[in-house]
Amino acid sequence: MSEVKLAAETRSEFGKGAARRIRRENKVPVVLYGHGTEPVHLTLPGHELLLALRTPNVLISLDIDGKTNELAIPKAVQRDPLKGFLEHVDLLLVKRGEKVTVEIPVQTEGELAAGGNLLEHVLNALPVEAEATHIPEAVTVSVEGLEAGASIHAKDITLPSGVTLAVDEDAVVLQVLAAQAEETEGEETEGEEAAEA
């Protein structure tokens, strides 16, 4: 779990015009909320925030106006659909030792059994509950030798100590689909000929 320190400034200007001005200064408008507190409107340095968000569920240590320090995790990220830059970010306030529910990426390793079968990620990310300062970056699942029809459920995935599932344990995470047989084209032709006769 990586922790990134960012300098944050409180902001009092709101609306589209203010947000545009903030982005022109290479900063990002951010809202920090949680623990029943009033939302705090902040600006964060754009490039540093963009780099931090490359790590899933990154823990962000906010130095707010040089006066207070808060821990937060990303909750919602809005990007420009064309250029990809950050438009707005919602951060969730967390405390050390507190459990939070997050989604962690599912990575696979190994080769499927021969036969050209396809691996389908039913869940690209696994919902789990973990301590805010010990969120795993990902879980790795072995698919070595799996054959068509095989599936891996949430309960089959080994989680790090202190991490529990936040999804039905019987939820399918990965499944192996049979390769599409090439005869399907021939079958269609035969069907068409029968229809014409």
Side-chain angles (χ1 to χ4, degrees):
M1 176 85 220
S2 55
E3 185 173 322
V4 177
K5 292 184 190 312
L6 294 178
E9 300 167 0
T10 52
R11 62 186 167 98
S12 51
E13 286 188 303
F14 309 104
K16 286 185 179 179
R20 280 193 200 104
R21 275 194 298 280
I22 290 167
R23 287 193 286 270
R24 272 199 299 271
E25 295 170 10
N26 294 320
K27 295 181 180 179
V28 179
V30 172
V31 176
L32 174 67
Y33 64 94
H35 291 284
T37 60
E38 285 291 315
V40 179
H41 298 270
L42 305 168
T43 58
L44 291 175
H47 183 67
E48 287 90 333
L49 182 58
L50 188 66
L51 292 176
L53 293 175
R54 287 186 177 165
T55 303
N57 300 311
V58 65
L59 187 65
I60 300 174
S61 175
L62 298 168
D63 178 12
I64 303 172
D65 296 329
K67 297 175 187 168
T68 57
N69 281 304
E70 299 287 1
L71 286 177
I73 57 173
K75 200 63 183 167
V77 178
Q78 292 176 2
R79 296 177 188 271
D80 179 275
L82 298 175
K83 298 180 182 168
F85 63 80
L86 297 173
E87 289 191 329
H88 185 271
V89 176
D90 285 346
L91 297 176
L92 181 64
L93 194 60
V94 294
K95 303 277 184 220
R96 291 192 190 277
E98 173 188 11
K99 291 258 187 179
V100 293
T101 301
V102 293
E103 291 189 349
I104 55 174
V106 176
Q107 298 172 346
T108 58
E109 63 182 9
E111 298 290 323
L112 297 176
N117 297 325
L118 301 172
L119 181 66
E120 180 186 17
H121 285 254
V122 179
L123 293 178
N124 286 319
L126 187 66
V128 297
E129 188 177 77
E131 191 180 317
T133 53
H134 294 93
I135 299 170
E137 288 187 20
V139 288
T140 303
V141 180
S142 173
V143 295
E144 188 66 43
L146 291 183
E147 298 188 358
S151 58
I152 294 176
H153 297 86
K155 65 184 174 191
D156 302 328
I157 297 174
T158 305
L159 297 172
S161 174
V163 179
T164 56
L165 288 174
V167 66
D168 181 3
E169 63 179 22
D170 290 322
V172 175
V173 179
L174 300 164
Q175 62 185 7
V176 182
L177 304 175
Q180 293 292 325
E182 288 183 23
E183 296 92 51
T184 50
E185 247 180 70
E187 287 168 13
E188 283 172 19
T189 312
E190 285 171 25
E192 284 169 21
E193 285 169 7
E196 284 169 12

